[in-house]
Amino acid sequence: VGFYSYFKVILKQAIKDDNANKTLRYSLTFIWAKILAHDPSARYDLIVRGEYAFFYKELKRDKDNSDQQIFLCTFILAQIASYQPTGQKALVSKTCGGTKKHNKTSLLSLLTQNIFHSNFRIKIWSILCLAKLWQNNDDIKSIAYDITDSLILQLASPSVEVRAATMYALGTFFNLKDEVCIMPHNDQSVILGPNFDLTLAHQLSKLVHDP
């Protein structure tokens, strides 16, 4: 408990300091990724204190960041998005760049750009973060509908993990109660809905196994 409180204090100070040194920033990100991996309930503290903004700002640094830092920040933001709907609302708020499509540094835009990242871990967690952002949230789906065009391209990825994450994200997007979506892919039709429910544990489609 003592260490946890200490890490919260350091994180709060780091948010206020845009010039915090790289070692501190990277260490904080690593520590909080570990905390959330073992105790997802810590998401609540990050949301109510607005401290999730630190990881969004880190994601915005882009060229100043290592792939490891981008991956860990994306993982943390995906955990925030999983705290629904509070976390979802926080990540599309003005604090994270809002929802205007012309804002290329909003979280939605950054995640969409990272769908095409060369690092598979960044690609996978960007896709999963998007999936959690719009899961059971039609308001966010109505804003992010065009991102599915980028996702569909990932069904041809050589990585089975990327294809599985993509199917999961498309499943959470098209899981509408009274609608069925027929999505063309490589001269085949993939039917999504009305009871489409994907988990990475399911072996549902040849699309996952054979790009």
Side-chain angles (χ1 to χ4, degrees), residues 60-71:
K60 278 202 307 180
R61 292 180 186 269
D62 191 20
K63 294 179 181 179
D64 186 41
N65 274 337
S66 66
D67 283 359
Q68 174 80 351
Q69 180 74 346
I70 297 171
F71 155 61

Side-chain angles (χ1 to χ4, degrees), residues 40-111:
S41 66
R43 297 173 299 183
Y44 178 77
D45 285 339
L46 292 178
I47 294 169
V48 297
R49 293 168 165 272
E51 291 163 354
Y52 61 88
F54 172 82
F55 306 104
Y56 162 66
K57 290 179 179 178
E58 284 299 293
L59 202 61
K60 278 202 307 180
R61 292 180 186 269
D62 191 20
K63 294 179 181 179
D64 186 41
N65 274 337
S66 66
D67 283 359
Q68 174 80 351
Q69 180 74 346
I70 297 171
F71 155 61
L72 290 177
C73 286
T74 307
F75 168 79
I76 290 170
L77 292 169
Q79 306 313 306
I80 299 297
S82 297
Y83 193 87
Q84 300 171 1
T86 309
Q88 293 169 317
K89 292 177 181 177
L91 295 184
V92 295
S93 67
K94 290 183 179 180
T95 301
C96 291
T99 57
K100 300 294 184 182
K101 293 186 178 181
H102 62 78
N103 185 359
K104 300 302 181 184
T105 60
S106 70
L107 179 60
L108 280 173
S109 294
L110 293 174
L111 292 172

Side-chain angles (χ1 to χ4, degrees), residues 4 40 82-83 153 166 171-172 198:
Y4 181 63
S82 297
Y83 193 87
L153 297 176
T166 300
T172 58
L198 273 180

Side-chain angles (χ1 to χ4, degrees), residues 23-44:
T23 301
L24 175 61
R25 294 189 286 106
Y26 280 27
S27 296
L28 277 172
T29 302
F30 179 80
I31 289 168
W32 279 98
K34 286 288 188 181
I35 290 173
L36 290 172
H38 290 282
D39 182 12
S41 66
R43 297 173 299 183
Y44 178 77

